[in-house]
Amino acid sequence: MSGGPATGHAVIDKSEIETLIQGLWKSGYTVVGPTIAQSAIVIDEIKSAADLPIGWTDLQEGGSYRLKKRDDQAYFGYAVGPHSWKKYLFPARLTLYTIKKNAAELEIIAPDPAPRYAFLGVRGCDLRAIEVQDRTFLQGAYVDPHYKARREQALVIAVNCAQAASTCFCTSMGTGPRARGGYDLALTEFADRFLVEVGSERGQGVLASLASRPAVQADLVLADNQARATAESMTRTLDVSDMPGLFYENLDHPRWDQVAERCLSCTNCTMVCPTCFCHSVDDVPDLAGETSQRVRVWDSCFNPEFSHVAGGNTRPQIRERYRQWLTHKLASWVDQFGVSGCVGCGRCITWCPVGIDLTEETAAIRGRLEA
Amino acid sequence: MIQPLPIIAEPSKPRKPRPRLGVFKFASCDGCQLSLLDCEDQLLDVAEKVEIAFFREATRRPLEGTFDVALVEGSISNSEQEAAIRDVRARSRFLVCLGACASHGGIQALRNQSKSEELIRIVYADPSTIELLDQSHPASAYVPVDLELPGCPINKDQLIEVLAWTLAGARPMIHRHALCLECKRRGLVCVLVARGEPCLGPATSTGCGAICMSYDRPCFGCYGPAEKPNASALAARLAELGAAPDAIRRLFQTFYATAPDFQKASRIHDGTRV
Ligand code: SF4
Ligand code: SF4
Ligand code: SF4
Ligand code: SF4
């Protein structure tokens, strides 16, 4: 009941977000979070609370995204946008090293050290997405040192979603709308204050630098109610029962041909997906023939070149490429990494130029199986 | 610490004759050739690495001898050019087409859809001085081509890349995937999804570096079709977003009018003709 202090929790005034941002910069973090650019809420460097999309929200549906003014001054009153945190942990273009031809040797020049990021406003689905990418880049014999350096240093401040977009389906994937671990601090936004949950010692240290007061039981109840209301407002669902079998048994389903008629093979879904990790490596020599950069760039199974091999292309048609994407996300990912490759963020639905919806495609495939 | 690798081949052998570069113009606006002059900082490196043996925009040297690399700009529009492209091919080891004209006939290939005599009569005061093939053709219609660089005009960075790789004895890697991939790598917000703009990026080849989107504008296809695009599905989507049939036809029928994928996309509506 109200009155008793809630351990691991605190309450801060909204104005403390500014203190938080300034403090993080002062402690050497590069603070990145939501901000408005080019008609959308993107993730970029945040210099002050004024950079946040305060009072804005988004309207999302398949193939469409629009900004809209809210009738309140919410700091985090929107869902996820086109960018995800992989922009920083797994940059779209990264020079791995530069090779220089000296008189007697080839010199290998290491890249600049990885920046130390503070992520502000990480949603439940995206926290899971980071964990999913951890399995790709940090587990097993081949650990990616670039991802590792960024990931280990990153401070993660989560935000519990107070509203879902029509494209969200985190409840189906068990990833949201409430942050379920993997953060240093988690914020729940109320009209005049934030409830702060501490997730790590580092988070505790950050909280200590803010003017806070103890949370009471009523704050926790309010946060629970908010999470429940958000979950109940979610309109999209994805049935992930009988994965990976569903797709493995339907590799010749006629639906793949139908979706291939609409799919542009444009790669947008894989670019915006917070778990897609495919990349290729280009060598960029200079004209003088003295230095060459080895550059890693995001790539995609929708790029025909990506499946070029000696003697042909393993996925020559869009049908096979779309099937690869969906089968990898929802089925073979489970075999490969022990989790689904989809966290239910809905980005691939919104940012598909033709509005192809993986929940609809999966339902169609399932329909035939049950018939 | 990363240890230095021992060098395998001695770098400084006695200086060999530099590879000979020729730049040739056919029916075109000169924009692609100018990309070479536009390389400014790197132009001196180019001149250091290759002998610019023929380049009307830059030197008075006459056309003679053979070329290690021939850069060809422009389409083949008359019989004189037909003979000239065969001559360039015979003189050259590696022939690179620069831009939409040389690879697809260019903007002037819009005339391919009409009768040349009619157009000549409308445009020129004295048609008797004009000699034209009935269509504007790509170089590849007459001679084998080693590489085609897309664009109207080309991207000078891609040109430098082609020269750097060719000089190093490797085959240049010119990507032909959808522009969207580059647009997203740059972190740009999709103008089609966020504003409903008719962007051709999903069907257009990469190469420009997503310039238009970085200025909040949609792509108008000046790098031609991507590898295996689904341009017709894009055209259908643009129609859903409210683009008029004529606007869609024009979008797909400007820079790469002869590309079959763009032709097909331009015809998705009944009542319009290419
Ligand atoms: S597949 Fe789509 S909904 Fe799932 S995580 Fe990727 S972008 Fe989000
Ligand atoms: S869905 Fe495609 S781009 Fe994404 S991780 Fe799988 S193969 Fe790579
Ligand atoms: S599903 Fe949509 S976003 Fe993905 S490649 Fe196809 S058209 Fe592009
Ligand atoms: S703006 Fe154009 S090029 Fe960029 S992702 Fe959207 S459709 Fe593709």
Side-chain angles (χ1 to χ4, degrees):
Chain A
M1 296 285 31
S2 68
T7 48
H9 294 80
V11 167
I12 59 171
D13 284 337
K14 288 211 155 171
S15 57
E16 277 307 282
I17 294 293
E18 180 65 16
T19 319
L20 171 69
I21 294 170
Q22 299 313 330
L24 291 172
W25 278 105
K26 273 195 208 97
S27 353
Y29 285 105
T30 297
V31 184
V32 293
T35 191
I36 291 180
Q38 285 196 297
S39 319
I41 296 170
V42 299
I43 305 175
D44 211 334
E45 286 188 16
I46 300 294
K47 298 284 185 201
S48 90
D51 291 338
L52 297 170
I54 297 172
W56 287 92
T57 192
D58 49 31
L59 292 176
Q60 305 193 37
E61 54 184 283
S64 171
Y65 180 102
R66 292 293 182 273
L67 282 178
K68 196 177 163 254
K69 270 259 170 231
R70 295 176 61 92
D71 40 27
D72 61 18
Q73 289 297 300
Y75 280 45
F76 297 100
Y78 35 85
V80 295
H83 293 170
S84 71
W85 310 91
K86 85 174 179 184
K87 176 181 173 188
Y88 297 99
L89 296 173
F90 167 51
R93 187 182 299 276
L94 184 69
T95 299
L96 303 176
Y97 54 82
T98 305
I99 276 204
K100 191 156 176 264
K101 197 148 100 188
N102 292 330
E105 66 191 17
L106 290 180
E107 187 188 349
I108 298 181
I109 303 162
D112 294 337
R116 191 162 160 245
Y117 291 115
F119 296 161
L120 176 60
V122 185
R123 309 305 176 110
C125 57
D126 280 349
L127 287 170
R128 172 66 68 81
I130 292 171
E131 285 172 32
V132 171
Q133 282 213 327
D134 285 352
R135 292 174 187 238
T136 303
F137 290 116
L138 300 180
Q139 283 186 0
Y142 302 102
V143 169
D144 182 83
H146 311 283
Y147 182 92
K148 185 165 185 261
R150 288 164 174 74
R151 175 70 168 112
E152 280 176 353
Q153 297 182 83
L155 179 87
V156 177
I157 302 175
V159 164
N160 292 319
C161 288
Q163 93 180 43
S166 87
T167 41
C168 297
F169 55 100
C170 61
T171 43
S172 299
M173 306 312 290
T175 61
R178 185 170 220 179
R180 306 181 182 203
Y183 53 81
D184 295 295
L185 291 176
L187 308 177
T188 303
E189 180 169 13
F190 302 138
D192 60 340
R193 64 194 190 282
F194 286 102
L195 173 68
V196 187
E197 284 166 72
V198 176
S200 73
E201 259 175 53
R202 192 153 52 150
Q204 183 69 57
V206 174
L207 177 61
S209 69
L210 306 177
S212 69
R213 52 189 181 274
V216 292
Q217 205 58 38
D219 295 315
L220 272 52
V221 171
L222 206 53
D224 282 347
N225 291 345
Q226 188 189 78
R228 195 172 316 113
T230 307
E232 278 164 8
S233 74
M234 207 135 337
T235 49
R236 233 180 203 75
T237 56
L238 176 64
D239 176 1
V240 284
S241 58
D242 44 81
M243 292 294 170
L246 177 72
F247 286 118
Y248 293 171
E249 285 156 29
N250 281 285
L251 296 176
D252 293 316
H253 198 290
R255 184 72 183 192
W256 302 121
D257 292 307
Q258 290 158 17
V259 70
E261 279 172 27
R262 294 168 61 213
C263 173
L264 310 173
S265 201
C266 65
T267 79
N268 274 305
C269 45
T270 53
M271 295 293 107
V272 296
C273 179
T275 69
C276 272
F277 54 79
C278 282
H279 52 271
S280 58
V281 174
D282 282 340
D283 284 316
V284 188
D286 73 349
L287 201 54
E290 272 151 23
T291 62
S292 183
Q293 292 191 324
R294 177 148 283 201
V295 182
R296 184 178 79 185
V297 288
W298 285 355
D299 208 334
S300 163
C301 54
F302 281 102
N303 175 5
E305 191 184 297
F306 194 67
S307 41
H308 279 175
V309 290
N313 193 316
T314 54
R315 292 190 279 268
Q317 305 296 330
I318 293 179
R319 171 188 189 277
E320 289 119 29
R321 281 178 242 141
Y322 188 86
R323 188 180 65 189
Q324 161 64 21
W325 139 263
L326 197 56
T327 306
H328 192 205
K329 286 280 94 161
L330 298 178
S332 50
W333 208 292
V334 180
D335 286 338
Q336 197 180 3
F337 299 110
V339 281
S340 177
C342 175
V343 301
C345 72
R347 286 182 177 92
C348 58
I349 304 171
T350 300
W351 298 98
C352 171
V354 293
I356 292 172
D357 172 352
L358 81 169
T359 65
E360 207 177 297
E361 296 311 310
T362 305
I365 301 259
R366 186 179 297 284
R368 170 130 181 289
L369 188 70
E370 282 161 2
Chain B
M1 270 314 288
I2 302 173
Q3 293 300 316
L5 298 177
I7 200 147
I8 299 157
E10 258 310 307
S12 48
K13 297 246 173 63
R15 188 169 183 142
K16 287 184 291 184
R18 288 169 302 162
R20 281 168 58 88
L21 176 78
V23 184
F24 302 91
K25 174 190 160 69
F26 292 85
S28 59
C29 75
D30 288 33
C32 290
Q33 296 183 59
L34 288 175
S35 313
L36 187 58
L37 291 180
D38 212 26
C39 290
E40 294 170 0
D41 298 352
Q42 284 157 302
L43 194 57
L44 291 177
D45 284 338
V46 177
E48 166 84 6
K49 282 282 164 182
V50 299
E51 177 190 347
I52 301 183
F54 184 75
F55 187 6
R56 286 232 164 95
E57 294 267 8
T59 88
R60 287 166 201 267
R61 298 178 61 174
L63 173 59
E64 55 190 17
T66 58
F67 300 92
D68 294 284
V69 180
L71 302 178
V72 169
E73 174 196 272
S75 68
I76 311 303
S77 257
N78 60 34
S79 52
E80 203 179 300
Q81 291 172 336
E82 188 182 330
I85 188 66
R86 293 190 203 278
D87 177 56
V88 170
R89 177 70 273 188
R91 291 168 184 271
S92 310
R93 208 157 56 81
F94 195 70
L95 189 153
V96 184
C97 283
L98 302 187
C101 298
S103 70
H104 284 77
I107 295 181
Q108 61 274 27
L110 287 172
R111 75 176 171 88
N112 294 6
Q113 297 155 23
S114 317
K115 283 216 164 15
S116 292
E117 313 91 75
E118 267 174 42
L119 292 176
I120 292 173
R121 220 169 337 106
I122 298 166
V123 174
Y124 296 98
D126 180 3
S128 70
T129 60
I130 305 299
E131 192 267 319
L132 268 190
L133 295 172
D134 64 333
Q135 301 212 319
S136 169
H137 292 291
S140 62
Y142 299 95
V143 297
V145 163
D146 297 297
L147 186 78
E148 293 177 337
L149 264 192
C152 186
I154 57 159
N155 176 344
K156 64 179 181 180
D157 297 330
Q158 280 198 323
L159 179 60
I160 294 284
E161 216 175 306
V162 166
L163 292 176
W165 280 95
T166 310
L167 292 173
R171 205 185 156 74
M173 196 56 184
I174 297 300
H175 301 292
R176 298 306 296 258
H177 53 70
L179 179 59
C180 299
L181 176 51
E182 191 57 28
C183 187
K184 281 287 183 290
R185 281 178 188 154
R186 289 192 60 183
L188 300 169
V189 174
C190 179
V191 300
L192 191 158
V193 169
R195 298 216 316 270
E197 297 268 2
C199 185
L200 292 196
T204 298
S205 172
T206 188
C208 64
I211 303 175
C212 289
M213 286 63 73
S214 72
Y215 289 95
D216 250 329
R217 294 181 51 103
C219 165
F220 46 66
C222 75
Y223 273 62
E227 182 180 357
K228 296 195 190 161
N230 190 352
S232 300
L234 176 61
R237 176 62 175 154
L238 300 185
E240 269 174 29
L241 290 172
D246 196 50
I248 293 173
R249 189 175 59 84
R250 280 165 190 274
L251 267 175
F252 285 103
Q253 288 291 289
T254 303
F255 300 99
Y256 279 76
T258 62
D261 290 297
F262 279 13
Q263 284 194 348
K264 201 171 142 222
S266 73
R267 285 196 218 106
I268 63 152
H269 290 284
D270 295 333
T272 59
R273 57 177 193 94
V274 178

